[in-house]
Amino acid sequence: MSVQRQLLEILMDGNFHSGEKLASSLGVTRAAIWKNIKILESKYELDIHALTGKGYRLSQSIELLDSEAIIDKLTIKNVIPEVETFLSIDSTNRYLMKKVLSADLQCHAVFAEQQTSGRGRHGRSWVSPFGGNLYFSVLYPFQRTPRDVTGLSLAVGVAIVEQLEQQGIESAKLKWPNDILVNGRKLCGILLELHGESHGPFAIVVGVGINISMPENAAREIDQPWVAYQSLTQTPISRNQLAASFLSNVLLALQEFERDGLAPFRERWLQRDCYMNSKVKLQLGDREITGIARGIDQQGALLLESQGQVQRYYSGEIHLRPAK
Ligand code: BTN
């Protein structure tokens, strides 16, 4: 374990710890402690108070994500042999996409406290500051090509919204294909990446970003209306518990989709469609289509009624927004 991780594990309680004690617990010099405190401040933008005679303390206590704690709290056992946690990574999706080429492909999940190049849909970036939110990806090998990949991303959206409902957040709704919004503000984004042959074994990486508690300075970088989980609930949050609950539900959804496709999810998706029967604008490259959203079909394609006709739209560069 890195000195920075060990140091954080001691400081995460938010209490003062003397440089001397930190140095002896970690088996390094006090100068090394000071150097690593500076790295924690600059790399992760952590606010650490230093007081002569008292030592160092984090301005706010945090619960670091921990692989063993997450595995222990999973409600679905024996599906995922590997759960990794990183303090910092470029992107959890990118990390797992590099693994899809390995010979013995296994189900694998990765969480990070910070992403330095978090990826969003349509080539956007996903703002991923340290320690507040959830960023995770799941690599899942399919025995055969999923019948419809759009459908798969919708199923993952349903899994996340249902988990939010179980936690008392009833106002979370789905925007096609898989954004999760609360009163028009984005709470969660899902990014699916695929690798494989059209008829052979197939692996997908499902990436999920959920705003839990967003630091103000990071929030300024977000270019769309957003909301954070913490503002929607009075219940104290354990990040490891949340991580395990969302991961469990995503794994269940992947298993269910592999077995039965979109069918068991379609009605559940429609019940949570935030634009059902509303006037919307669909951007298809340069083209803009205004119509009434009529939900999704059996494959997960968007149904849009325009000039009395219902058309289907599949995944692609499609942006959906309410029309005035
Ligand atoms: C979106 O644009 O709505 C999708 C955002 C997906 C963000 C998550 S965070 C974890 C995973 N790793 C990434 O780089 N992106 C996804």
Side-chain angles (χ1 to χ4, degrees):
M1 198 191 292
S2 72
V3 173
Q4 283 155 33
R5 169 103 205 177
Q6 292 179 63
L7 200 47
L8 266 176
E9 286 194 355
I10 300 177
L11 293 175
M12 68 186 202
D13 61 7
N15 297 325
F16 271 111
H17 296 271
S18 77
E20 197 178 334
K21 278 212 179 122
L22 288 170
S24 78
S25 334
L26 269 57
V28 297
T29 63
R30 284 176 66 179
I33 293 294
W34 181 84
K35 201 175 116 205
N36 279 287
I37 291 276
K38 292 290 144 200
I39 295 176
L40 292 181
E41 286 178 326
S42 60
K43 190 168 169 192
Y44 306 131
E45 297 187 21
L46 286 170
D47 194 14
I48 302 175
H49 296 172
L51 205 65
T52 318
K54 289 196 117 182
Y56 303 98
R57 69 176 277 263
L58 275 179
S59 63
Q60 265 189 325
S61 61
I62 55 170
E63 182 190 341
L64 287 179
L65 294 172
D66 174 78
S67 308
E68 279 173 31
I70 296 172
I71 292 174
D72 188 53
K73 295 176 190 344
L74 287 174
T75 56
I76 160 169
K77 306 281 182 198
N78 307 324
V79 174
I80 191 139
E82 190 152 12
V83 176
E84 283 185 280
T85 51
F86 287 88
L87 286 183
S88 183
I89 199 169
D90 52 359
S91 148
T92 53
N93 261 43
R94 188 172 296 142
Y95 177 77
L96 286 184
M97 281 305 282
K98 285 190 210 140
K99 303 236 172 232
V100 297
L101 299 173
S102 72
D104 61 332
L105 214 51
Q106 284 193 325
C107 191
H108 185 157
V110 176
F111 289 80
E113 298 287 1
Q114 176 194 56
Q115 295 186 114
T116 52
S117 303
R119 302 210 273 228
R121 292 176 58 236
H122 306 305
R124 297 167 84 156
S125 58
W126 188 257
V127 175
S128 310
F130 187 90
N133 302 315
L134 279 183
Y135 322 111
F136 70 96
S137 300
V138 183
L139 167 66
Y140 191 86
F142 278 91
Q143 294 314 313
R144 57 190 166 80
T145 311
R147 268 161 284 180
D148 198 293
V149 173
T150 302
L152 175 53
S153 81
L154 270 63
V156 174
V158 170
I160 302 277
V161 173
E162 287 180 340
Q163 188 54 46
L164 288 163
E165 288 169 0
Q166 279 186 35
Q167 282 150 9
I169 301 181
E170 303 280 340
S171 49
K173 300 284 171 245
L174 286 155
K175 174 186 150 190
W176 188 87
N178 57 15
D179 277 354
I180 294 170
L181 310 181
V182 172
N183 297 327
R185 299 176 164 271
K186 189 149 165 175
L187 173 65
C188 167
I190 296 163
L191 175 69
L192 224 83
E193 299 189 69
L194 322 159
H195 183 273
E197 311 296 327
S198 55
H199 296 293
F202 198 90
I204 60 134
V205 172
V206 180
V208 180
I210 310 176
N211 300 328
I212 305 289
S213 145
M214 184 70 76
E216 259 173 53
N217 51 348
R220 283 187 220 113
E221 293 170 38
I222 306 179
D223 59 0
Q224 56 186 323
W226 63 274
V227 65
Y229 182 100
Q230 202 161 50
S231 67
L232 302 169
T233 174
Q234 307 297 325
T235 319
I237 301 164
S238 153
R239 294 178 72 232
N240 285 297
Q241 180 61 63
L242 275 186
S245 308
F246 286 114
L247 176 57
S248 300
N249 246 27
V250 168
L251 290 170
L252 273 173
L254 291 169
Q255 285 186 325
E256 198 176 356
F257 189 92
E258 184 170 31
R259 203 176 50 236
D260 303 321
L262 185 63
F265 296 94
R266 184 165 169 257
E267 201 48 50
R268 286 144 73 189
W269 197 96
L270 290 169
Q271 283 163 11
R272 297 166 175 87
D273 178 358
C274 71
Y275 287 149
M276 183 57 120
N277 299 329
S278 309
K279 200 170 172 194
V280 294
K281 260 188 193 166
L282 185 67
Q283 186 129 11
L284 270 174
D286 292 343
R287 230 159 34 105
E288 216 172 61
I289 303 155
T290 303
I292 311 286
R294 297 291 189 209
I296 53 169
D297 74 359
Q298 276 81 357
Q299 276 75 48
L302 173 74
L303 299 174
L304 191 65
E305 186 181 326
S306 183
Q307 294 165 346
Q309 288 215 319
V310 178
Q311 302 274 1
R312 290 175 160 70
Y313 296 92
Y314 296 86
S315 58
E317 293 289 308
I318 294 177
H319 300 269
L320 191 64
R321 58 182 194 277
K324 300 263 156 29

